[in-house]
Amino acid sequence: MSYGPAPESANAANAFLEAHGRTFQLFIGGNWQPPASETYFESINPSTKQPLAKIAEGNAEDVDAAVAAAREVLPAWAGLGGHQRARYLYAIARQIQKHARLFSVLESMDNGKPIRETRDIDIPLVARHFYHHAGWAQLMDTELSAYKEIGVIGQIIPWNFPLLMLAWKIAPALAMGNTVVLKPAEYTSLTALLFAEICQNIGLPKGVLNVVTGAGATGAALVKHPNVQKIAFTGSTEVGRIIRRAIAGSGKKLSLELGGKSPFIVFEDADLDSVVEGVVDAIWFNQGQVCCAGSRLLVEESVSEVLYAKLKARMEQLIVGNPLDKCVDIGAIVDKVQVKTIDELVQKGIHEGYAAWQPTAICPSEGYYYPPTLFTNVSPAATIAQEEIFGPVLVAMPFRSHKEAVALANNTRYGLAASVWTEDINLALSIAPQIKAGSVWVNCTNMFDAASGFGGYRESGFGREGGREGLFEYIQPRMEATLSDKPFLPKIAAESKTAASKNGLPLPDIDRTAKMYIGGKQARPDGGYSMVIRSRSGTYIGEVAEGNRKDLRNAVEAAHANSAWSNMTGHARAQVLYYIAENLAVRRAEFARRLAQMGGQTMEDALLEVDTAIERIYTYAAYADKYDGRVHSTVLNHVTLAMPEAIGVLAIICPDESPLLGFVSTVIPAIAMGNSVVVVPSETAPLSATDFYQILDTSDVPGGTVNIVTGKKEELAPELARHDNVDGIWYFGTKEGSQKVEYLSSDNMKRSWVNYGKYRNWSDTVQGAGEIFLRHATQIKNIWIPYGV
Ligand code: NAI
Ligand code: MG
């Protein structure tokens, strides 16, 4: 049968635009307000190149007004309680459903995506997110009682899923009691403005949601604003990096959903016809302008040619054209700038010697279109295999073994998603854990649901959107408000400078320089330098090695070489942790003497710190096999396993105070979750840590699990923060040090957790222990598995 157009009417959308005189103001404090600059920019329909409307260009002054409005209403909104907020979110969800057609058409016109997708995917998911989070608002008091809202949230979203990205950000933020200033993408502001109108209509309290339209400069003003407590961003890795650096050290929280180059892995026993449909959804959904697009097709060599042939046949059937046509598969690219970027990368691929294949049917001559494109047998190092193209371009390459498939899949700086196709459940579930990505789809692709978290590993960013795990981006532990500006130091024993000797106890050796501990062995410092360690009252105690960059490199390498630890079960790791506790208990008095020697406290106080450390080890031994994931209830015929995975190699810069307890309270939860760590212990009192490796040595901890590099923390921390093979960093030190760590961590987008110069009481179980440490030691992978009939 030949194809006949079936266009959806644009009347309602045009009526909406006309009602606003095709000119949109800023939505601030519940009112429509002209921009301070009095300037407007045009939003076009990329399928016709015709302007749709004029949009206000917000500047720093407008952002300031919006933040002020959000701040003013914050106490009232947070104080409203979960149930009242649930009612508002529910009302928004209902309104979206009632206006679903208008939203779908408007989105298609503004963005160029096919109406089939906006109607069947984007808009229903938007409603789903508001319903789901109405539920979380309702349950917040009972499920998350140790947490509270963060405050005013600045949200910056891209143009590829304009309303959906809005929903992913606004629904959890409002549910958890925050207020929002949203900056839509400059190409696609219209549905956000329609959304604002809906919020106005349902009587959402003024200022809870503010929409400030504009381009990058408007976003940058929002990022910089001192009264914004958190930035949530989706967009390019480049801008994500700019934002990370801009707010480093400010104490603002940050979540980033960035780019990807996700693998779509096909094993020889896969159902190739399903695979072909999967590929269509993976890379031609939304013209390939999808951060988690399956843009790298990895296919087992034995079936590669068959699959390429099937794929080409299918590509011939794809209809490229008017986005409002219900039969169209591929619509227009959002803007001519993006068409140019896509084409430049395709030309680069051709220039590098790869053949591009495109179906014979041509794109409409009017509008910004790009044909579906396939590159086969591309080398993994090719530009087109490494760079995010963000268009309808698929890059395919063969693999010969399962091992090679995993290696190719992970051969990217990104880690957003992956698809695994095979009829062999054992194979699928052995590949899934080996892939470094936030979502892994088994025999499916591009699956999303409000109940499941979505977000990246590595340079694809951090934080999750959706699911219970996503809520933590919009709440903070109530405990955080109780942190101190000064470190908690033990009371110096009244009658003596060296309480330990006064007590008649022999002091530990002072004649040797404590070594570092790398790869399970004592290590001398590369530079050959050592540092004198003195008690708090100034008495010489001994010396420790002064580590440098080379020592850190060795330590990171040793941490990477150790796979034994991460491959152990939680139970097996728990056994080792209990063993550590047992060995520490045996040497309790010796460790207490060391603490008293360095800190000058009474033996009684020192013994208490050791006992608390032992208890803390028990805590994380207990958690090792209990901090587990969830099975999310998402879409029909699937279950979604949300599994916390170790971050990988974690750098830990310990607090100077509480030299034993601060070390144990950070290192033990990190390794309990399966990470290998490179630790810089207390700079002023490192000897408890250097004594501790004897305990590690006798407790069956695999070499390379804990690596200890002593030295000057403000020199070592930046090295670790910028190190490319460190996956995450925790820093407990000064405000300035925190700024540096956050700034430098943006090089490879490693996860960072810093204290901004705020101090914990490490002996307190609320401040010094708990799930928050485990959350920072893990990242959640969501694995979608077919399940049910
Ligand atoms: P972009 O990252 O520049 O834009 C995303 C959002 O950030 C927009 O709202 C923009 O106005 C805002 N923005 C830009 N500069 C900013 C700054 N300095 N401070 C604060 N906000 C700022 O993405 P763009 O230029 O639209 O697309 C370029 C490439 O980025 C695409 O080709 C694609 O590779 C990638 N991209 C990835 C997305 C994803 O979902 N991961 C979404 C959009 C683009
Ligand atoms: Mg537009």
Side-chain angles (χ1 to χ4, degrees):
M1 220 188 318
S2 73
Y3 153 76
E8 176 69 49
S9 163
N11 289 349
N14 280 323
F16 164 76
L17 296 174
E18 290 299 339
H20 285 264
R22 293 200 180 253
T23 303
F24 288 85
Q25 314 297 351
L26 308 169
F27 186 68
I28 295 176
N31 301 308
W32 296 99
Q33 203 166 290
S37 67
E38 293 177 24
T39 47
Y40 294 79
F41 61 94
E42 266 182 353
S43 195
I44 57 136
N45 179 337
S47 71
T48 61
K49 303 186 190 172
Q50 295 304 308
L52 289 169
K54 287 197 168 65
I55 314 280
E57 173 104 43
N59 65 12
E61 202 179 311
D62 301 309
V63 166
D64 192 49
V67 172
R71 194 171 148 88
E72 196 187 328
V73 73
L74 180 69
W77 179 248
L80 203 56
H83 174 62
Q84 292 303 327
R85 289 200 303 274
R87 287 184 172 219
Y88 280 111
L89 285 155
Y90 176 79
I92 292 173
R94 293 285 300 137
Q95 285 296 312
I96 285 167
Q97 284 186 318
K98 283 186 187 160
H99 300 287
R101 188 55 58 99
L102 172 58
F103 271 117
S104 307
V105 173
L106 192 62
E107 193 83 304
S108 282
M109 287 167 70
D110 202 10
N111 167 282
K113 58 170 70 192
I115 184 77
R116 225 161 34 88
E117 292 178 6
T118 53
R119 184 194 62 197
D120 299 345
I121 299 170
D122 294 50
I123 309 306
L125 259 176
V126 168
R128 163 90 179 111
H129 267 264
F130 281 98
Y131 281 126
H132 181 77
H133 286 93
W136 279 123
Q138 178 70 34
L139 296 177
M140 184 179 180
D141 294 345
T142 45
E143 290 277 317
L144 297 158
S145 57
Y147 295 85
K148 64 190 284 266
E149 78 287 350
I150 291 174
V152 175
I153 316 283
Q155 305 186 321
I156 299 169
I157 55 173
W159 41 261
N160 54 342
F161 293 90
L163 194 68
L164 187 57
M165 291 302 104
L166 172 153
W168 283 19
K169 290 198 165 41
I170 290 183
L174 297 194
M176 296 295 106
N178 304 279
T179 56
V180 166
V181 178
L182 176 87
K183 211 289 290 168
E186 52 272 40
Y187 300 138
T188 55
S189 310
L190 293 174
T191 47
L193 295 163
L194 172 58
F195 179 84
E197 192 168 282
I198 272 181
C199 291
Q200 199 177 23
N201 292 345
I202 63 154
L204 186 72
K206 289 173 191 280
V208 168
L209 167 72
N210 305 273
V211 180
V212 181
T213 44
T218 316
L222 183 56
V223 167
K224 262 205 324 250
H225 200 288
N227 289 337
V228 169
Q229 276 84 40
K230 182 206 158 108
I231 295 292
F233 172 79
T234 299
S236 61
T237 296
E238 187 193 346
V239 173
R241 195 167 277 127
I242 292 172
I243 293 175
R244 165 70 293 174
R245 290 177 181 165
I247 64 173
S250 67
K252 280 180 197 163
K253 298 191 190 297
L254 178 64
S255 50
L256 297 173
E257 305 280 354
L258 308 174
K261 192 76 183 176
S262 298
F264 187 108
I265 312 167
V266 181
F267 291 97
E268 63 180 1
D269 67 341
D271 169 0
L272 293 187
D273 292 321
S274 303
V275 164
V276 168
E277 292 313 307
V279 171
V280 170
D281 286 341
I283 188 66
W284 293 305
F285 171 52
N286 204 24
Q287 296 69 249
Q289 305 168 123
V290 182
C291 48
C292 54
S295 53
R296 285 188 300 142
L297 175 63
L298 313 180
V299 48
E300 195 152 5
E301 199 176 36
S302 49
V303 293
S304 61
E305 291 305 326
V306 185
L307 181 60
Y308 297 159
K310 279 179 183 280
L311 212 46
K312 287 175 183 172
R314 181 67 178 86
M315 286 168 78
E316 288 286 3
Q317 307 297 314
L318 293 171
I319 300 169
V320 184
N322 178 10
L324 285 187
D325 185 332
K326 283 172 265 192
C327 298
V328 153
D329 300 302
I330 298 181
I333 302 292
V334 73
D335 190 81
K336 62 172 180 294
V337 175
Q338 289 299 121
V339 176
K340 186 163 169 272
T341 311
I342 296 166
D343 197 51
E344 277 169 5
L345 280 161
V346 166
Q347 295 312 323
K348 186 136 202 210
I350 293 168
H351 186 74
E352 285 181 11
Y354 306 104
W357 188 90
Q358 291 172 338
T360 44
I362 43 161
C363 297
S365 52
E366 220 12 68
Y368 303 125
Y369 290 94
Y370 203 89
T373 304
L374 172 68
F375 282 96
T376 46
N377 298 331
V378 173
S379 137
T383 308
I384 49 171
Q386 291 294 330
E387 296 286 314
E388 180 178 46
I389 299 175
F390 225 63
V393 183
L394 179 64
V395 171
M397 62 192 76
F399 64 83
R400 284 157 210 88
S401 67
H402 297 172
K403 205 169 150 209
E404 192 189 2
V406 171
L408 284 175
N410 288 332
N411 179 20
T412 167
R413 58 199 172 96
Y414 296 114
L416 200 48
S419 289
V420 181
W421 295 74
T422 167
E423 293 299 293
D424 177 351
I425 185 173
N426 296 323
L427 177 59
L429 297 183
S430 77
I431 297 295
Q434 298 181 64
I435 294 176
K436 294 187 174 21
S439 297
V440 177
W441 294 299
V442 173
N443 290 330
C444 58
T445 195
N446 276 341
M447 303 284 278
F448 311 102
D449 188 72
S452 165
F454 179 87
Y457 279 34
R458 300 169 158 181
E459 290 186 37
S460 291
F462 40 77
R464 294 290 179 267
E465 296 187 301
R468 190 175 190 276
E469 58 263 38
L471 300 176
F472 294 97
E473 304 303 327
Y474 291 102
I475 51 180
Q476 56 180 333
R478 293 182 187 279
M479 168 273 292
E480 275 185 11
T482 67
L483 298 181
S484 162
D485 291 327
K486 289 208 186 83
F488 291 83
L489 298 172
K491 261 225 289 296
I492 295 190
E495 73 282 17
S496 165
K497 285 180 187 163
T498 51
S501 69
K502 188 80 178 178
N503 285 339
L505 297 162
L507 285 172
D509 295 350
I510 59 163
D511 57 327
R512 65 189 172 93
T513 300
K515 311 261 185 332
M516 301 184 299
Y517 184 66
I518 294 176
K521 297 193 183 70
Q522 296 191 30
R524 286 176 198 285
D526 165 69
Y529 293 105
S530 56
M531 300 187 333
V532 170
I533 302 303
R534 295 181 187 277
S535 72
R536 269 164 80 202
S537 53
T539 315
Y540 174 91
I541 303 179
E543 294 181 22
V544 294
E546 186 177 334
N548 66 14
R549 187 191 303 198
K550 177 80 175 16
D551 299 309
L552 291 176
R553 274 211 297 270
N554 294 341
V556 172
E557 217 168 279
H560 269 288
N562 164 36
S563 55
W565 183 249
S566 60
N567 286 335
M568 281 161 73
T569 63
H571 171 66
R573 284 199 294 269
Q575 296 304 302
V576 173
L577 297 184
Y578 284 125
Y579 199 16
I580 293 175
E582 190 183 321
N583 284 323
L584 182 57
V586 170
R587 295 168 66 172
R588 175 175 179 264
E590 178 197 332
F591 272 83
R593 280 199 299 278
R594 182 65 98 186
L595 288 172
Q597 182 194 29
M598 295 189 293
Q601 65 265 52
T602 61
M603 268 305 276
E604 206 179 354
D605 283 355
L607 283 166
L608 191 65
E609 179 170 340
V610 179
D611 290 341
T612 311
I614 293 168
E615 184 183 340
R616 194 130 306 159
I617 299 170
Y618 263 70
T619 297
Y620 294 112
Y623 269 127
D625 65 349
K626 291 175 196 66
Y627 187 72
D628 47 19
R630 294 195 153 211
V631 181
H632 290 313
S633 171
T634 50
V635 299
L636 266 187
N637 303 335
H638 282 80
V639 287
T640 308
L641 311 182
M643 303 187 41
E645 285 189 347
I647 304 261
V649 172
L650 205 55
I652 300 178
I653 320 297
C654 294
D656 280 340
E657 71 279 10
S658 306
L660 177 65
L661 190 55
F663 175 88
V664 161
S665 303
T666 50
V667 170
I668 301 298
I671 65 171
M673 295 295 102
N675 295 285
S676 294
V677 296
V678 175
V679 193
V680 178
S682 165
E683 177 179 331
T684 49
L687 298 173
S688 293
T690 53
D691 292 345
F692 201 85
Y693 64 58
Q694 297 156 15
I695 299 224
L696 297 172
D697 262 348
T698 50
S699 308
D700 296 340
V701 181
T705 306
V706 179
N707 305 277
I708 303 172
V709 177
T710 48
K712 300 198 170 116
K713 74 196 281 185
E714 300 311 333
E715 285 173 19
L716 299 176
E719 292 303 330
L720 287 165
R722 65 160 72 91
H723 198 299
D724 232 23
N725 283 328
V726 172
D727 305 302
I729 183 165
W730 295 359
Y731 171 90
F732 297 92
T734 61
K735 201 165 180 328
E736 301 70 46
S738 299
Q739 192 273 343
K740 232 181 231 170
V741 164
E742 284 196 332
Y743 188 96
L744 295 171
S745 69
S746 65
D747 282 9
N748 73 342
M749 285 295 174
K750 62 174 66 68
R751 285 98 190 87
S752 59
W753 186 31
V754 303
N755 70 332
Y756 306 110
K758 291 273 185 190
Y759 296 91
R760 283 163 198 271
N761 177 356
W762 292 99
S763 57
D764 178 74
T765 49
V766 179
Q767 290 192 0
E771 283 200 1
I772 186 164
F773 288 83
L774 303 176
R775 189 166 313 112
H776 284 287
T778 52
Q779 50 196 339
I780 292 191
K781 176 186 274 180
N782 274 282
I783 305 170
W784 294 66
I785 300 177
Y787 184 87
V789 285

